[in-house]
Amino acid sequence: MPTSTTASSTSSRSRGVRGVAPPSQQSRGISPGQQGPRLEVIACGALSGHVRDIVARRGWPVAVHSLPAILHNRPQKITLMAERAVVSALGQGRKVALAYADCGTYGGLDEVCARHGVRRLPGLHCYDLFAGAPRIASMFEAEPGTYVLTDFLLRSFDRSVLAELGLDRYPELWDDYFGHYRRLIWLAQAPSPALQAQADRVAAMFGLPLTRIDTGVSRLERALEELL
């Protein structure tokens, strides 16, 4: 499975570089140079906070459009919604990049990139962008039953895992979902006492040992810089 995709044609790229102002803006006398950022990053909701922070800190003229992180529970919808966002942004004369790894789309996002001449972040999932693909691969090779947490997943665990899977209403289903896991690894971007307490709480739910690996966001920042 490819892990990154480059623009497939010059003509596709040019649509995002030399677009004209939409008629509604032309009617208000707004020139293309007054539209604001000409580059739009369509970001996974689990990454968009970090992407916005990096963009702001680096002073990049980029608009960040976030898609719901909950789509990870139904990866086929990631492809659909990402393509809609890409088409919309290109139609407004913007250049577009996807702040997504493959994220369980099994090449679906790569097909979107090829169709529209855009690029995405490298990797199979966001864990690669935090800890590096070789480290993640060796982690799962050593113990396939590894459940990976990030800062975002810890903050949203009750909503994006418990409620979304129905475990808040049917706790008896816990083993059906998680009975095969043997350990938890927290890839920590900005650990804090509050996040540590939440990580300990989640580990207690699983009844499994927890390992924290401090990753920061430096790999994500480098990948985003190369993408843009």
Side-chain angles (χ1 to χ4, degrees):
M1 179 186 303
T3 57
S4 65
T5 298
T6 58
S8 61
S9 69
T10 301
S11 61
S12 295
R13 287 196 300 268
S14 64
R15 288 197 298 271
V17 175
R18 293 193 292 271
V20 297
S24 60
Q25 292 187 336
Q26 291 174 348
S27 65
R28 295 196 300 269
I30 299 175
S31 68
Q34 294 174 304
Q35 292 181 51
R38 299 289 292 166
L39 173 60
E40 180 164 323
V41 172
I42 298 165
C44 169
L47 292 178
S48 60
H50 298 301
V51 171
R52 286 193 174 94
D53 289 345
I54 292 167
V55 164
R57 176 162 45 78
R58 298 291 293 272
W60 291 333
V62 172
V64 180
H65 174 77
S66 177
L67 295 181
I70 205 69
L71 292 175
H72 278 276
N73 289 341
R74 297 171 180 83
Q76 69 277 11
K77 292 189 176 182
I78 295 176
T79 302
L80 176 65
M81 292 190 67
E83 185 157 28
R84 287 176 179 172
V86 167
V87 170
S88 176
L90 291 175
Q92 297 173 48
R94 288 185 170 183
K95 189 176 179 180
V96 183
L98 287 175
Y100 267 94
D102 178 79
C103 292
T105 66
Y106 293 94
L109 283 179
D110 288 331
E111 293 174 4
V112 171
C113 289
R115 278 195 294 271
H116 299 287
V118 301
R119 300 174 63 218
R120 69 167 175 86
L121 291 170
L124 293 177
H125 33 60
C126 62
Y127 310 140
D128 292 347
L129 294 162
F130 291 134
R135 188 173 193 177
I136 295 298
S138 64
M139 182 188 305
F140 285 117
E141 183 177 355
E143 175 50 79
T146 297
Y147 191 89
V148 181
L149 297 159
T150 64
D151 293 7
F152 175 86
L153 187 54
L154 282 173
R155 291 191 183 98
S156 65
F157 192 84
D158 287 3
R159 180 183 72 255
S160 61
V161 178
L162 298 184
E164 183 68 15
L165 297 179
L167 292 169
D168 55 341
R169 303 181 302 280
Y170 307 104
E172 65 273 13
L173 296 177
W174 182 275
D175 285 344
D176 294 333
Y177 283 115
F178 302 123
H180 62 288
Y181 286 102
R182 297 293 176 263
R183 65 173 179 174
L184 277 69
I185 290 185
W186 171 21
L187 304 179
Q189 290 75 66
S192 67
L195 276 178
Q196 183 64 60
Q198 173 66 354
D200 293 339
R201 171 178 170 260
V202 171
M205 291 181 189
F206 279 83
L208 295 174
L210 170 72
T211 299
R212 189 179 98 184
I213 300 174
D214 294 342
T215 66
V217 295
S218 59
R219 288 182 180 84
L220 172 62
E221 183 164 349
R222 287 195 299 271
L224 192 60
E225 183 174 22
E226 292 175 6
L227 178 69
L228 304 183

